Amino acid sequence: MNRVYGDRKTILILLIPPLAIYVLLKVVPVLWSLGLSFFQGNTLRGFEFVGFDNFTTFATDGAALQSLWVTIGFALIATVSQVTFGYLLALLYVFVLRKGSAFVRTAVFFPMVLPTVAVALLFRSFVAVGDNQGPVNDVINFFGGSSVEFMASTAGTMATAIVMTLWSSMGFYAVLLYTGLLDIPDEIIESARLDGAGGLRLVRNIIVPLSAPILLSSIIFSLNSTLKVFDSLLALNGGGPGTSTSPLTLYMYRTAFEYAEYGYGSTIALVLTLLCLVFTLTVFRSSSKRVED
């Protein structure tokens, strides 16, 4: 094995193919998109260099700014919900269900493997009104209320989208955090219990600090996936009513592929990338500051 690692020719043969594929599939498209953000037009009309005009247009584009706030709001609410409920489930697996948690883990994780579009259609049928009224309005009617047309309002659509996202991804974060909790040595937990720590005190002072790295990873993973939400909101209500629940990814898709404004679409993609970077660095920086304190 040492002879293989010491042979430069072998190292180059092993490294060059994956590096070449990575550069072709990742680096080149990113650089191409970055370059397009300084142009206006498409392949039929031709491209015209406009400098930073696309960025100034974005800053004054009401529809783009609305999509930006929809994206940020959805990401923050979904991330807090996913990680919080996932962590509570993980605690349930480890400290209550213990070895009998396998069936519950599988059942809660199952929605994660379902296609997003199918899940969106399922939840749309849950809140439907009219001849094919869903069970949610049946329950409201049972308690004497009038049927609510959730998809007709921005708040109803976003609430349905948040619940749908939480239902489909909560099991994944529960399993992810569960593996982190299993790494905490039993001796530390037993010592804390002998010292009188138990219940919420044990979780707050021992479990949460020791599981901070996996919690941090979960938050970053969730933020980056929810900031790029696309198919769930599109399948649920098409970004509607109107464009009130259209995230930045959907606005970028329509700009680039429906209106053939490749340059401005690339600018929106760049803004989204910077948004993911800012959120990730903010979480890293806040966690590092807490460790230093």
Side-chain angles (χ1 to χ4, degrees):
M1 187 61 73
N2 290 333
R3 289 180 59 189
V4 172
Y5 287 134
D7 188 346
R8 290 185 179 182
K9 189 176 178 181
T10 304
I11 293 173
L12 289 176
I13 290 173
L14 292 173
L15 280 180
I16 287 177
L19 279 177
I21 293 172
Y22 180 82
V23 169
L24 282 174
L25 297 182
K26 287 286 186 180
V27 179
V28 171
V30 169
L31 293 178
W32 186 267
S33 177
L34 179 63
L36 272 180
S37 63
F38 296 99
F39 288 83
Q40 196 174 47
N42 54 49
T43 51
L44 293 177
R45 297 202 320 263
F47 291 96
E48 179 188 356
F49 182 75
V50 293
F52 289 93
D53 284 0
N54 285 331
F55 295 93
T56 55
T57 301
F58 182 88
T60 56
D61 185 351
L65 294 178
Q66 180 190 352
S67 295
L68 179 66
W69 290 119
V70 168
T71 302
I72 293 174
F74 179 85
L76 291 177
I77 296 173
T79 296
V80 170
S81 305
Q82 287 173 338
V83 176
T84 301
F85 282 96
Y87 195 66
L88 292 175
L89 276 173
L91 291 173
L92 181 74
Y93 297 159
V94 174
F95 295 106
V96 180
L97 300 178
R98 300 176 188 276
K99 293 181 180 177
S101 67
F103 174 76
V104 179
R105 288 204 310 270
T106 306
V108 177
F109 186 84
F110 176 71
M112 186 68 192
V113 303
L114 297 176
T116 306
V117 174
V119 174
L121 294 177
L122 177 68
F123 272 76
R124 191 179 172 86
S125 69
F126 282 167
V127 298
V129 293
D131 295 336
N132 297 316
Q133 180 162 289
V136 174
N137 277 311
D138 283 339
V139 172
I140 294 174
N141 294 159
F142 179 78
F143 287 101
S146 302
S147 296
V148 179
E149 198 167 348
F150 287 89
M151 294 297 106
S153 68
T154 303
T157 303
M158 287 303 287
T160 308
I162 293 292
V163 173
M164 181 185 77
T165 304
L166 181 61
W167 179 76
S168 61
S169 59
M170 182 173 59
F172 169 78
Y173 289 97
V175 170
L176 185 65
L177 291 162
Y178 170 73
T179 57
L181 292 179
L182 289 181
D183 287 338
I184 299 176
D186 291 336
E187 295 79 8
I188 294 179
I189 296 175
E190 289 303 320
S191 299
R193 281 177 171 155
L194 289 174
D195 291 337
L200 290 176
R201 190 178 167 198
L202 176 68
V203 172
R204 186 177 67 248
N205 296 329
I206 304 295
I207 305 300
V208 171
L210 290 178
S211 58
I214 192 68
L215 266 173
L216 178 66
S217 302
S218 300
I219 292 171
I220 291 172
F221 193 83
S222 177
L223 273 175
N224 279 280
S225 61
T226 51
L227 282 170
K228 292 179 280 190
V229 61
F230 176 77
D231 46 0
S232 58
L233 288 174
L234 176 63
L236 187 65
N237 204 15
T243 57
S244 60
T245 60
S246 173
L248 212 52
T249 48
L250 183 55
Y251 187 65
M252 174 189 68
Y253 170 80
R254 285 172 172 161
T255 300
F257 298 107
E258 292 184 5
Y259 308 132
E261 292 291 347
Y262 296 155
Y264 191 42
S266 297
T267 304
I268 299 170
L270 182 61
V271 170
L272 183 61
T273 304
L274 292 175
L275 195 63
C276 293
L277 186 64
V278 167
F279 271 92
T280 302
L281 291 178
T282 302
V283 174
F284 268 124
R285 189 174 176 79
S286 62
S287 63
S288 301
K289 193 174 180 181
R290 289 188 62 182
V291 170
E292 290 171 2
D293 292 341

PDB file of all heavy atoms in Angstrom, residues 53-65:
ATOM      1  N   ASP A  53     -25.689  45.670 -14.365  1.00  0.00           N
ATOM      2  CA  ASP A  53     -27.099  46.083 -14.510  1.00  0.00           C
ATOM      3  C   ASP A  53     -28.070  45.035 -13.960  1.00  0.00           C
ATOM      4  O   ASP A  53     -29.103  45.386 -13.382  1.00  0.00           O
ATOM      5  CB  ASP A  53     -27.426  46.348 -15.983  1.00  0.00           C
ATOM      6  CG  ASP A  53     -26.858  47.679 -16.447  1.00  0.00           C
ATOM      7  OD1 ASP A  53     -26.228  48.365 -15.608  1.00  0.00           O
ATOM      8  OD2 ASP A  53     -27.037  48.024 -17.626  1.00  0.00           O
ATOM      9  N   ASN A  54     -27.745  43.742 -14.161  1.00  0.00           N
ATOM     10  CA  ASN A  54     -28.648  42.690 -13.660  1.00  0.00           C
ATOM     11  C   ASN A  54     -28.754  42.728 -12.134  1.00  0.00           C
ATOM     12  O   ASN A  54     -29.810  42.450 -11.569  1.00  0.00           O
ATOM     13  CB  ASN A  54     -28.154  41.311 -14.102  1.00  0.00           C
ATOM     14  CG  ASN A  54     -28.435  41.050 -15.568  1.00  0.00           C
ATOM     15  OD1 ASN A  54     -29.393  41.570 -16.115  1.00  0.00           O
ATOM     16  ND2 ASN A  54     -27.582  40.268 -16.207  1.00  0.00           N
ATOM     17  N   PHE A  55     -27.646  43.096 -11.478  1.00  0.00           N
ATOM     18  CA  PHE A  55     -27.658  43.154 -10.013  1.00  0.00           C
ATOM     19  C   PHE A  55     -28.478  44.352  -9.526  1.00  0.00           C
ATOM     20  O   PHE A  55     -29.202  44.251  -8.531  1.00  0.00           O
ATOM     21  CB  PHE A  55     -26.218  43.232  -9.482  1.00  0.00           C
ATOM     22  CG  PHE A  55     -25.425  41.996  -9.780  1.00  0.00           C
ATOM     23  CD1 PHE A  55     -24.638  41.914 -10.917  1.00  0.00           C
ATOM     24  CD2 PHE A  55     -25.476  40.902  -8.922  1.00  0.00           C
ATOM     25  CE1 PHE A  55     -23.918  40.764 -11.199  1.00  0.00           C
ATOM     26  CE2 PHE A  55     -24.764  39.751  -9.193  1.00  0.00           C
ATOM     27  CZ  PHE A  55     -23.977  39.675 -10.347  1.00  0.00           C
ATOM     28  N   THR A  56     -28.343  45.499 -10.205  1.00  0.00           N
ATOM     29  CA  THR A  56     -29.147  46.668  -9.824  1.00  0.00           C
ATOM     30  C   THR A  56     -30.631  46.409 -10.128  1.00  0.00           C
ATOM     31  O   THR A  56     -31.506  46.863  -9.385  1.00  0.00           O
ATOM     32  CB  THR A  56     -28.660  47.920 -10.563  1.00  0.00           C
ATOM     33  OG1 THR A  56     -28.668  47.670 -11.973  1.00  0.00           O
ATOM     34  CG2 THR A  56     -27.273  48.306 -10.132  1.00  0.00           C
ATOM     35  N   THR A  57     -30.899  45.676 -11.236  1.00  0.00           N
ATOM     36  CA  THR A  57     -32.289  45.318 -11.542  1.00  0.00           C
ATOM     37  C   THR A  57     -32.881  44.451 -10.445  1.00  0.00           C
ATOM     38  O   THR A  57     -34.032  44.639 -10.025  1.00  0.00           O
ATOM     39  CB  THR A  57     -32.358  44.566 -12.886  1.00  0.00           C
ATOM     40  OG1 THR A  57     -31.825  45.402 -13.909  1.00  0.00           O
ATOM     41  CG2 THR A  57     -33.784  44.181 -13.230  1.00  0.00           C
ATOM     42  N   PHE A  58     -32.078  43.500  -9.956  1.00  0.00           N
ATOM     43  CA  PHE A  58     -32.557  42.613  -8.881  1.00  0.00           C
ATOM     44  C   PHE A  58     -32.909  43.418  -7.630  1.00  0.00           C
ATOM     45  O   PHE A  58     -33.930  43.154  -6.974  1.00  0.00           O
ATOM     46  CB  PHE A  58     -31.487  41.572  -8.555  1.00  0.00           C
ATOM     47  CG  PHE A  58     -31.911  40.582  -7.500  1.00  0.00           C
ATOM     48  CD1 PHE A  58     -32.582  39.426  -7.844  1.00  0.00           C
ATOM     49  CD2 PHE A  58     -31.669  40.838  -6.153  1.00  0.00           C
ATOM     50  CE1 PHE A  58     -33.003  38.531  -6.871  1.00  0.00           C
ATOM     51  CE2 PHE A  58     -32.075  39.945  -5.178  1.00  0.00           C
ATOM     52  CZ  PHE A  58     -32.741  38.785  -5.545  1.00  0.00           C
ATOM     53  N   ALA A  59     -32.063  44.403  -7.317  1.00  0.00           N
ATOM     54  CA  ALA A  59     -32.286  45.180  -6.089  1.00  0.00           C
ATOM     55  C   ALA A  59     -33.560  46.007  -6.156  1.00  0.00           C
ATOM     56  O   ALA A  59     -34.096  46.407  -5.106  1.00  0.00           O
ATOM     57  CB  ALA A  59     -31.079  46.086  -5.839  1.00  0.00           C
ATOM     58  N   THR A  60     -34.051  46.287  -7.375  1.00  0.00           N
ATOM     59  CA  THR A  60     -35.269  47.114  -7.507  1.00  0.00           C
ATOM     60  C   THR A  60     -36.449  46.300  -8.058  1.00  0.00           C
ATOM     61  O   THR A  60     -37.494  46.874  -8.346  1.00  0.00           O
ATOM     62  CB  THR A  60     -34.991  48.301  -8.445  1.00  0.00           C
ATOM     63  OG1 THR A  60     -34.521  47.803  -9.709  1.00  0.00           O
ATOM     64  CG2 THR A  60     -33.954  49.239  -7.859  1.00  0.00           C
ATOM     65  N   ASP A  61     -36.251  45.001  -8.226  1.00  0.00           N
ATOM     66  CA  ASP A  61     -37.300  44.128  -8.773  1.00  0.00           C
ATOM     67  C   ASP A  61     -38.215  43.654  -7.636  1.00  0.00           C
ATOM     68  O   ASP A  61     -37.807  42.854  -6.793  1.00  0.00           O
ATOM     69  CB  ASP A  61     -36.640  42.931  -9.475  1.00  0.00           C
ATOM     70  CG  ASP A  61     -37.676  42.041 -10.166  1.00  0.00           C
ATOM     71  OD1 ASP A  61     -38.888  42.249  -9.954  1.00  0.00           O
ATOM     72  OD2 ASP A  61     -37.260  41.142 -10.915  1.00  0.00           O
ATOM     73  N   GLY A  62     -39.438  44.171  -7.598  1.00  0.00           N
ATOM     74  CA  GLY A  62     -40.361  43.829  -6.511  1.00  0.00           C
ATOM     75  C   GLY A  62     -40.654  42.337  -6.434  1.00  0.00           C
ATOM     76  O   GLY A  62     -40.705  41.768  -5.338  1.00  0.00           O
ATOM     77  N   ALA A  63     -40.839  41.692  -7.583  1.00  0.00           N
ATOM     78  CA  ALA A  63     -41.141  40.254  -7.595  1.00  0.00           C
ATOM     79  C   ALA A  63     -39.955  39.442  -7.065  1.00  0.00           C
ATOM     80  O   ALA A  63     -40.136  38.461  -6.330  1.00  0.00           O
ATOM     81  CB  ALA A  63     -41.489  39.809  -9.012  1.00  0.00           C
ATOM     82  N   ALA A  64     -38.730  39.857  -7.437  1.00  0.00           N
ATOM     83  CA  ALA A  64     -37.531  39.143  -6.962  1.00  0.00           C
ATOM     84  C   ALA A  64     -37.370  39.302  -5.456  1.00  0.00           C
ATOM     85  O   ALA A  64     -37.047  38.333  -4.744  1.00  0.00           O
ATOM     86  CB  ALA A  64     -36.294  39.672  -7.685  1.00  0.00           C
ATOM     87  N   LEU A  65     -37.594  40.519  -4.951  1.00  0.00           N
ATOM     88  CA  LEU A  65     -37.443  40.756  -3.508  1.00  0.00           C
ATOM     89  C   LEU A  65     -38.525  39.995  -2.728  1.00  0.00           C
ATOM     90  O   LEU A  65     -38.258  39.476  -1.640  1.00  0.00           O
ATOM     91  CB  LEU A  65     -37.527  42.259  -3.220  1.00  0.00           C
ATOM     92  CG  LEU A  65     -36.380  43.092  -3.809  1.00  0.00           C
ATOM     93  CD1 LEU A  65     -36.579  44.565  -3.522  1.00  0.00           C
ATOM     94  CD2 LEU A  65     -35.026  42.626  -3.269  1.00  0.00           C
TER      95      LEU A  65
END
